Every structure is written in structure tokens, then in C-alpha cells.
Amino acid sequence: MRIGIDAMGGDRSVEERVLGVLAAGKLLGPSDRLVLLGDEAEIRRALDAAGQDASFIDVRHTTQAVGMDEPPVEAIRTKPDSSISVMTRLHRDGELDACISAGNTGAFVAAAQMYLRRLRGVHRPGITVITPTYHGPVALCDVGANVSCRPQHLHQYGVMASIYVNAICNVSTPRVGLLSVGEEEAKGNDLTRGASELLKADPGVNYIGNVEGRDVFRGTVDVMVCDGFVGNVVLKLIEGMAEGVIMGLLKELRDSMPQHVDTLKHAAHAILHKYDFNEYGGAPLLGAAGICIICHGASDRRAITNAVRVVLEYSKSHVNERITAALAEETSIAEG
């Protein structure tokens, strides 16, 4: 595979992303290549400073970069030589087999929609994040690609995320729940009620009904479906809550049981590490006609390395082919 990595996108330095790419070398097969896109001079300086084997890395120079706060669609249209734009076009043209970026999420999604388009049968792509819980991983879809959803979009998120969880997390029959304001069928709004009817009527989805936000951590679902606005709020809340709870726990331990702090601190940090987004690499844009992995803007070198791992697993599991086949089968049943 040839995997493109946006060297210019994200809150951290080019050096941090380069170190993550270098560490990913151990994951590659003999024919795999990693392609860094961005300011070649900056990238070469970072590679030279690292002083590690970079024989598996290629560099593609681009003259522009998309800022984290730029309007996404406008940025893609006005910066055709940005690392994000060039990377997605190379993927479209077959010169790359996958793309990774920790940059402007909206711009990456816009570029994927503009250049790669969608898989056959997909109405709107959705970003799917794997959230670790005590009971096992839970996939949340969508977390930001589509904030103006229709019921059929949420239905397809349930289909696509189920396939992803089955392939990547080895869950044989993922339980799909629709995030709403109550478990009762009558609860919610027109969007959730309409999506619930579609999910319930689909024999290919193991739909368990409406679920609430707390069900993410209760072991009741493997896939939680929602629109991108709600999903992004939930995702950021989970990130902040995990850190806040652990920090609060450590403070209480220092105040009430100072003699045990050193013993318990290791366990507390292990829990925090488990919920660290850097350990999970990135989130696929399910439904895009390619492999696009979106990383958190604050991704460190571990996240970049793990994003490469996600690409390799995604490709090996033939997720896109399975999504296309599932949606084609649904269309055939509906027309029959």
C-alpha cells in the first residue's frame, strides 16, 4: 500500500507527525510506502533531525496548507495545492491507497466528498469513532461529517458502522442503538423516529431500539448512531469527562489516603491511558470512495503511528467492499 499522511495538519509540530510516521515503519510490509505531504524543506529537516531509517518514506512537496480555523469548503476550493487537497486527489487517481490527516476535519471531509466522492449507494459519509468502555468498544457514528441528517443517513450509518465494528473489533453481530432522549419508540424528534423505522425494518441490522447517552458505557450497544452535531458533542464530552474523573480521583486520593497515592496512581493513569484518543489512531470516514482516516487535531506521534495501523486493518478487512455489497443487497430487496 501507499499511504498518504498530511504532514501540515494538526495542532502539533511537523516533527511530531514525522516521528509518528517513522515509528509506523515496523507495521509495514516490504511493498508498503508512507508518503508525507507538505512543505518538503520542513519535512526533510524533521527527518534528518530524527536520524532514523526513513527508507520507506517518500515526500511530496505542496505549497499550501489548510489552517485549523479556515472555512472547510472555501479552503479546499482556494488552496488546490494544500496537503489535504493534493493527498485526496492522489488517492482518487490511484497514486495513493489511503489518506491520513490530523488537520482541519471539515476540510478533509470536503476534499473527500469533492475528489473521492462516495461509495455506490451511500447517501452521506459518516465519521466513526471507536470508544473504549469497560464492556468493550462502542462505535459512535456520526461524530461530525454530517450535521444536517435525514433518517436514511442515520440508517446507513447503522449499516456501515456495523460492518466496521464486525471487521475491526471482531464483534459477530453488533448491536445497534439510535441515540435519543429516551428508550421509548415515541421519544425523540422526526429525525430519530424516522430513522428508527428504517433501522427496525432492516433485517441486516441488529437494531435494539432507542438508547440514551449513558448507554455508551453500559454494555448495551456496540454501535450508537446519531447525527454529526450530537455525535461531536458526545465525543468531546467523553474525552473531557475521562480526564476530569481521573484527575478528580487522584486529588481525592492525595487528600484522603496520601500513603496510597503512589500505589493507586499507576492504576489511575492506566485507566486514563485506555481512554486516550492517541491509542486509537483515528476515525474512518465511512462511505467515502477510498480510505480516509481522520485524526484528532491534538494527535501526538502515537496517534499517527496507530492511524497507519488502522489503515492497514481497514484495507485487510475489505470494509468498503462489504459496505458496497450490503447497500446493493438492500437496494435489490427494496426493488424486489
Side-chain angles (χ1 to χ4, degrees):
M1 292 190 73
R2 288 180 60 83
I3 303 170
I5 298 102
D6 172 17
M8 310 311 292
D11 300 328
R12 296 179 183 262
S13 65
V14 172
E15 289 77 12
E16 186 72 8
R17 285 183 285 280
V18 165
L19 289 171
V21 170
L22 286 166
K26 62 182 181 292
L27 304 174
L28 304 179
S31 62
D32 295 328
R33 306 286 297 175
L34 301 182
V35 182
L36 282 163
L37 295 97
D39 186 304
E40 184 169 8
E42 278 193 64
I43 295 170
R44 295 291 183 193
R45 278 196 295 270
L47 287 169
D48 291 343
Q52 300 178 37
D53 174 33
S55 59
F56 54 90
I57 295 174
D58 297 322
V59 178
R60 177 67 178 256
H61 179 65
T62 64
T63 61
Q64 297 173 309
V66 176
M68 297 296 280
D69 58 348
E70 289 191 62
V73 176
E74 182 181 344
I76 295 303
R77 286 177 175 165
T78 59
K79 291 185 172 181
D81 200 46
S82 67
S83 48
I84 287 178
S85 292
V86 173
M87 180 174 65
T88 48
R89 287 202 305 272
L90 290 175
H91 191 3
R92 175 199 64 191
D93 296 339
E95 295 185 46
L96 294 175
D97 301 300
C99 297
I100 296 170
S101 179
N104 186 313
T105 296
F108 193 17
V109 171
Q113 297 258 40
M114 188 179 300
Y115 299 125
L116 294 172
R117 304 297 185 180
R118 303 183 298 272
L119 292 173
R120 188 172 65 255
V122 172
H123 296 300
R124 293 281 183 87
I127 304 171
T128 299
V129 167
I130 297 293
T131 300
T133 78
Y134 176 79
H135 300 281
V138 174
L140 185 64
C141 183
D142 170 39
V143 297
N146 184 13
V147 298
S148 300
C149 282
R150 296 177 180 177
Q152 58 264 40
H153 301 152
L154 298 188
H155 168 225
Q156 289 195 343
Y157 291 160
V159 174
M160 294 191 294
S162 291
I163 291 169
Y164 181 63
V165 168
N166 172 259
I168 302 300
C169 302
N170 296 314
V171 179
S172 59
T173 311
R175 298 160 298 169
V176 178
L178 180 65
L179 184 57
S180 188
V181 294
E183 296 179 357
E184 299 82 359
E185 286 191 16
K187 292 288 183 71
N189 52 22
D190 290 342
L191 171 63
T192 57
R193 286 192 291 269
S196 183
E197 289 301 317
L198 292 175
L199 287 163
K200 187 166 54 176
D202 188 342
V205 176
N206 182 20
Y207 180 56
I208 66 167
N210 286 353
V211 293
E212 298 174 308
R214 59 191 173 190
D215 289 307
V216 173
F217 299 102
R218 287 188 165 182
T220 55
V221 294
D222 304 297
V223 172
M224 188 172 281
V225 174
C226 58
D227 68 76
F229 185 94
V230 172
N232 195 267
V233 171
V234 171
L235 176 65
K236 300 298 173 57
L237 176 62
I238 291 172
E239 291 174 356
M241 183 183 68
E243 182 176 357
V245 168
I246 296 300
M247 294 301 104
L249 175 61
L250 287 174
K251 183 180 183 304
E252 289 298 320
L253 290 173
R254 291 191 200 98
D255 293 344
S256 59
M257 295 185 293
Q259 69 277 21
H260 298 299
V261 167
D262 289 339
T263 302
L264 297 175
K265 186 184 292 186
H266 175 74
H269 281 295
I271 295 172
L272 186 60
H273 181 75
K274 180 179 179 180
Y275 289 91
D276 185 355
F277 62 84
N278 289 297
E279 292 300 312
Y280 295 86
L285 181 62
L286 295 179
I291 302 177
C292 298
I293 304 300
I294 299 169
C295 298
H296 198 293
S299 293
D300 64 14
R301 66 191 69 176
R302 290 175 298 144
I304 301 302
T305 301
N306 284 320
V308 173
R309 173 184 53 75
V310 171
V311 165
L312 296 171
E313 292 176 351
Y314 193 102
S315 176
K316 183 179 179 181
S317 301
H318 304 290
V319 173
N320 284 351
E321 293 84 350
R322 292 175 61 182
I323 287 172
T324 300
L327 295 180
E329 183 178 351
E330 285 191 359
T331 301
S332 176
I333 292 173
E335 292 176 348

